[in-house]
Amino acid sequence: MDAKAKAVGLRVPATKVRRVIALVRGKKAADALTILKFTPNKGARFAEKVLKSAVANAEHNFGLDIDKLYVKEITADQGTYMKRFRPVAQGRAHTYRHHNCHITVTVAEK
């Protein structure tokens, strides 16, 4: 049985989160939480929170053993942009975008 958790609209680019989640893909849940805890990135904080939620879902909803859980699938998908404008020379404006992402974690029992 698989348990999932998803965080939507996080204020960090998906490319920065993908670097972090590559470290924990396929690992035991306890090891993955330890890795994310000591990784000094903003994306690691979000990924750790979603992984904890997936582990809690597995225990509460499906009655799975926490010690046997592993990270089956973890993805960071591109979310929406927040478009903003910055004034530049001669009365013009340039756009810049704040990136958001969605993190999805699936844990399963071995």
Side-chain angles (χ1 to χ4, degrees):
M1 197 83 214
D2 298 346
K4 288 186 178 184
K6 189 171 186 176
V8 178
L10 303 174
R11 281 282 291 118
V12 63
T15 54
K16 291 185 178 182
V17 177
R18 286 183 190 126
R19 282 186 279 167
V20 173
I21 63 175
L23 300 172
V24 299
R25 192 173 283 122
K27 298 218 186 310
K28 291 179 66 175
D31 296 340
L33 284 170
T34 305
I35 291 168
L36 291 173
K37 183 176 182 180
F38 292 108
T39 304
N41 293 27
K42 184 178 178 181
R45 301 291 78 75
F46 291 128
E48 180 185 7
K49 196 170 182 179
V50 179
L51 180 58
K52 282 182 181 179
S53 178
V55 170
N57 289 343
E59 181 186 20
H60 184 267
N61 297 342
F62 302 111
L64 301 178
D65 186 15
I66 294 176
D67 298 328
K68 295 180 183 178
L69 292 178
Y70 75 102
V71 180
K72 182 177 181 182
E73 185 180 350
I74 183 168
T75 60
D77 301 320
Q78 184 65 49
T80 58
Y81 297 116
M82 287 190 338
K83 291 184 180 179
R84 297 293 180 263
F85 298 94
R86 175 160 295 160
V88 291
Q90 299 179 0
R92 297 185 178 119
H94 288 169
T95 60
Y96 62 98
R97 300 180 296 184
H98 293 287
H99 296 268
N100 295 325
C101 76
H102 312 311
I103 300 176
T104 306
V105 178
T106 305
V107 293
E109 199 173 49
K110 275 201 175 178

